[in-house]
Amino acid sequence: MSESKKDLLCYKKTNFYEVATPEQIDAAYDYAKDYMKYLDASKTEREAVATSIAMAEAQGYVPYTFGMALAQGGKYYYNNRGRSLFLFRIGSAPVAEGIRICAAHIDSPRLDLKQSPLYEDGGFGFFKTRYYGGIRKYQWVATPLALHGVVIKQSGESVSITIGEDDADPVLYINDLLPHLGQNQNSQPLGTAIPAENLNILLGSRPLEGEESDKIKMNILNLLNQKYGIVEEDFLSADLSLVPAAKARDVGLDRSLIGSYGHDDRVCAYPAMTALFENPDAARSTMVILADKEEIGSDGDTGMQCELLLDLLYEIAKAFDANFGQMKANSICLSADVTACFDPNFAEVFDGKNVSRINCGVAMCKYTGHGGKVATNDASAELVAFIRRIMAKGEVVWQAGDMGKNDLGGGGTVAKYISKHNIPTVDIGVPVIAMHSPFEIVSKADVYTAHKAFAAFYTLD
Ligand code: MN
Ligand code: MN
């Protein structure tokens, strides 16, 4: 009697493994395999755009350009400068009834090359870097790194560079101090023990014969010139980044977890797309946004603050003679981004009652931000009730969870840059262990429930 009353009255998180059938567990593990391939092929936003376009084209999506006619049943993608992507399909319901939007981001914390990066010192060649996003600098030393990106020559010619992913490739590296001489460094705070200007990329140590000076730098430039046809000035017009060279791997003896660079936020981007492709006939029009620059504030022409979203929504409204304001007001957006997962090794930073738990499904955050709900999109009770309703209808294992204890820090998402356009928005995403580290951990069950949750969002009311 007392137990049934507890069931009736208390909010309890559901562990996926307690309710899933063996077939559903197999489905979650199978889903993870394809997700891991996506991760390995999408380590930068440019690569994620390319792999996502290939996925979309296989589903019949066609490139959209401004001014093009839009048709009911049409499936389109807008490639924004190769660094952010909008996928949208027009359903049978009037677009004035609103678009279901799922917005994830495809940039991840990393190290970018400085404008003029190459130098030699102490018998080694190095690249100078500028870190991108919220990295913990001590995690990036003494680990294999890969160089990814493009050089655009003055002529406009684009040269793609990937070094360190093929098993036959060399990898790159950042030196760390030996413990024998680390006494002073050991007493430094974690945040400053590795200064940002020490994150220099080790490139080699062999001199170029016949050179008078800068022999090692010259050897590296010569190698780059032979392989890619570039000269030192070409670094000025390049987007080159260092990312971990490791591939996505199963983690744990039960293989229930996935370790990888860049789960944040491909772990929401990928399910946002697979759920879209699984429901090609949903009545409501649907849009998936894969944004760039989230990790550095969503600024710029490929970030979520760019007015491109409005331009595209305006074109959709215009094409079907819908009222633009009404269409936006009736739209709903999921800001699909990761959240912190309870970690018993650091239990003290979490509010145990309000944190996301591993394997308890995709997690909704009513508010993000920091301090007294500063810089957050605080989703309304009405919108959260809608989420509860569609999750129940779709039989999705999901949970509510926020980042951590009050006043310990916090973080933002793209949510506030979408809701400000009069589009109700709520944060939902996969819980992550060791977020922003070179090898983040998520649960296969939670990734699978993200796919289920987004499918419910696209199809249910
Ligand atoms: Mn994120
Ligand atoms: Mn992040």
Side-chain angles (χ1 to χ4, degrees), residues 105 109 264 294-295 337-338 435-436:
H105 68 89
D264 178 8
E294 192 280 340
E295 295 295 356
D337 204 346
V338 298
M435 194 192 296
H436 287 199

Side-chain angles (χ1 to χ4, degrees), residues 410-449:
T413 65
V414 299
K416 63 178 178 165
Y417 304 120
I418 297 173
S419 57
K420 74 172 189 175
H421 300 307
N422 197 29
I423 299 173
T425 302
V426 61
D427 280 292
I428 186 163
V430 175
V432 177
I433 295 279
M435 194 192 296
H436 287 199
S437 77
F439 202 67
E440 305 171 314
I441 302 289
V442 297
S443 125
K444 289 181 181 175
D446 294 338
V447 181
Y448 184 63
T449 63

